[in-house]
Amino acid sequence: MSNFDVLVIGSGAAGLTAALTLAPSYRIGVIAKGKLSEGATGWAQGGIAAVLEEGDSFDAHISDTMIAGAGLNNRAIVEHVVGGAPAAIARLAELGVPFNLDDDGDGWHLTREGGHSHRRIVHVADATGRAIQQALEKAAMAHNNIALVSDMVAIDLVTGRHAEEFSTSGAVHGLYAYNRATRRVETIRARATILATGGAGRAYLYSTAPRGATGDGIAMAWRAGCRISNMEFMQFHPTCLYNLTVKNFLITEAVRGEGGILKHPVTGHRFMPDYDHRAELAPRDIVARAIDSEIKRDGLDFVHLDISHREPEFVKAHYPNIYEKLIGLGVDITKEPIPVVPAQHYTCGGVLVDIDGRTDAPGLYAAGEVTQSGLHGANRLASNSLLECLVFGEGAARHIMAHWTELPAPPPVRAWDESRVTDSDEEVVVQQCWGEIRRFMWNFVGIVRTTKRLERAKHRIDLLRQEVADYYKHFRVTPDLIELRNLVEVADLIIRSALSRHESRGLHYTLDYPEMAADAVDTVLVP
Ligand code: FAD
Ligand code: SIN
């Protein structure tokens, strides 16, 4: 059993920002279920949105965010995050993130992405996330008050129900977690716990998200009694590389931002102007649906994204990682188009939090992609996500510091009980269920939905839920089983949320309710 003042579950942008803010005052434990750098943060390409260009304004960034979000955003939260952007970026620069400079070298180079009315994206070439993750990890490692613990898989939050003295207060006092090295379940207690576990993209067969994006934090918070909101709004990125061996490599939106054109691969026709006056720079939901429609109408495997009309030096300088990766796969992006398809990319819904990152459970905070903070509404604007991690990671930490004396010390809790389970003798069940979920989520709960398909998905998830619950009851936990249990939970939350929305708005598009309703209302599921 270990104890920290504050336990942070997740070592991406949200978790490490929170940890660094708290570290001068408290002892912090940060856990990651694999290596520290394996979350989505390290994979981010495009950059971070902030109002830094002359002629741009907070109002314009707020308005772009709310247009993309189809009116479902919480304006107060949007203002809070947009207003916090320049300072959040300055802090990263202080930590040593080498944002690209403009041609004069006297300011940051700002690139453009879909849905933004101005150049607004600070970046480190096309590998911004890697630079941010490295800088945050370096700063955290240098801090005596931060313990970074990798290979520790969170299973469930410790609540009053796990206390030696049973309580129904709903408060969270830490975590049960599986230690991959010892293969034992440990109890970690803390006064405050921050969920920063990222998204749930791996509920889908094709996703740009890393392997660990299985919605663990959302499922854990739900089981601990927190409300979950807007899970139907799964964002599909329009341009994931189409390749038979490399299945989840993103081609950043910044390629379209700097003039990349989407073309029909057979006719060469530039099709986006047929769908939206903003063409390739329309918000993601619109571009993804347009590509999906071209692919389905003409039975295509992919469409083309072409940047080869720009100078080869420009292309190599702006997209060095994409250039290298694709050269290795036999595609020279300075000379030929890139085959692309849409793929799941971002989880707009999640654990409901307030402006301070507080969840429904006392002592439990959340920040980053695991949350539904009100920032994104029905569709996230490009490059607003890292920003949300930075602003809410810091905000949650500041709220904990300001209310420290009100947080009760964690009570003694019961150790994990393995007395009634054995080692699994049929691991194949776990693999089979994983595959099934991801395939029917892709086919039935994808870019374009119908009630009938959603009902088919619901029927399947109900069966799988029973099977997995039965399996979980009888066998010792493994990382795969922990993730599968969470995937079943989040898939169910996504399907239920999608079934309950009787309109098309933002990322939720259903042929049965093609119109947008007059009132914008969040989906809120109550455990
Ligand atoms: P993550 O960075 O995903 O970190 C999650 C952490 O939680 C990890 O440390 C993981 O190990 C840990 N964790 C999860 N489950 C458990 C568990 N059970 N036990 C213990 N630890 C656990 N956004 C932008 O704003 N700009 C971009 O340019 C951009 N590009 C992107 C490109 C790609 C390919 C992808 C996939 C996403 C991109 N995004 C971008 C989105 C953005 O990267 C993410 O939303 C953001 O990084 C999420 O950060 P986070 O801190 O919430 O979670
Ligand atoms: C990208 O670079 O296209 C991803 C940006 C984002 O997800 O915000």
Side-chain angles (χ1 to χ4, degrees), residues 477-499:
V477 289
T478 62
D480 283 352
L481 177 56
I482 294 166
E483 289 184 335
L484 173 64
R485 177 175 175 241
N486 293 329
L487 267 188
V488 169
E489 202 75 83
V490 290
D492 187 46
L493 293 168
I494 297 166
I495 298 164
R496 282 167 55 187
S497 305
L499 272 169

Side-chain angles (χ1 to χ4, degrees), residues 73-96:
N73 325 61
N74 176 334
R75 190 176 171 101
I77 297 290
V78 179
E79 286 172 4
H80 171 63
V81 174
V82 164
I89 288 167
R91 278 196 299 279
L92 284 181
E94 271 166 35
L95 290 181

Side-chain angles (χ1 to χ4, degrees), residues 39-62:
T41 297
W43 290 29
Q45 293 189 358
I48 312 179
V51 174
L52 297 164
E53 190 187 46
E54 233 177 53
D56 195 3
S57 66
F58 287 145
D59 276 347
H61 190 178
I62 291 164

Side-chain angles (χ1 to χ4, degrees), residues 39-249:
T41 297
W43 290 29
Q45 293 189 358
I48 312 179
V51 174
L52 297 164
E53 190 187 46
E54 233 177 53
D56 195 3
S57 66
F58 287 145
D59 276 347
H61 190 178
I62 291 164
S63 160
D64 291 346
T65 300
M66 298 198 60
I67 290 170
L72 201 60
N73 325 61
N74 176 334
R75 190 176 171 101
I77 297 290
V78 179
E79 286 172 4
H80 171 63
V81 174
V82 164
I89 288 167
R91 278 196 299 279
L92 284 181
E94 271 166 35
L95 290 181
V97 177
F99 291 116
N100 285 27
L101 297 177
D102 61 19
D103 288 345
D104 305 333
D106 56 1
W108 289 317
H109 177 263
L110 301 174
T111 192
R112 192 162 178 182
E113 289 182 346
H116 287 277
S117 56
H118 287 264
R119 284 191 169 268
R120 203 174 269 153
I121 320 294
V122 292
H123 62 107
V124 183
D126 57 351
T128 311
R130 193 163 61 209
I132 293 172
Q133 182 72 31
Q134 283 170 354
L136 289 171
E137 270 183 42
K138 194 169 159 211
M141 273 171 195
H143 215 297
N144 286 338
N145 262 354
I146 301 181
L148 294 166
V149 186
S150 53
D151 288 324
M152 188 68 84
V153 189
I155 306 172
D156 263 321
L157 295 160
V158 167
T159 66
R161 289 180 313 180
H162 305 102
E164 281 178 10
E165 205 162 308
F166 184 87
S167 142
T168 52
S169 69
V172 166
H173 306 297
L175 185 73
Y176 291 117
Y178 175 90
N179 182 330
R180 286 185 200 256
T182 61
R183 299 188 181 189
R184 289 278 161 241
V185 176
E186 298 185 9
T187 310
I188 306 173
R189 293 187 314 154
R191 262 190 198 226
T193 301
I194 303 179
L195 272 179
T197 45
R202 286 301 175 119
Y204 285 84
L205 189 57
Y206 302 109
S207 170
T208 63
R211 161 74 178 69
T214 47
D216 299 359
I218 297 170
M220 286 191 292
W222 174 253
R223 288 193 292 266
C226 299
R227 287 170 301 162
I228 305 294
S229 173
N230 288 353
M231 288 300 289
E232 66 274 38
F233 299 117
M234 273 288 168
Q235 184 170 73
F236 292 80
H237 197 292
T239 59
C240 178
L241 175 70
Y242 173 82
N243 183 279
L244 294 182
T245 45
V246 179
K247 297 215 187 290
N248 62 350
F249 186 71

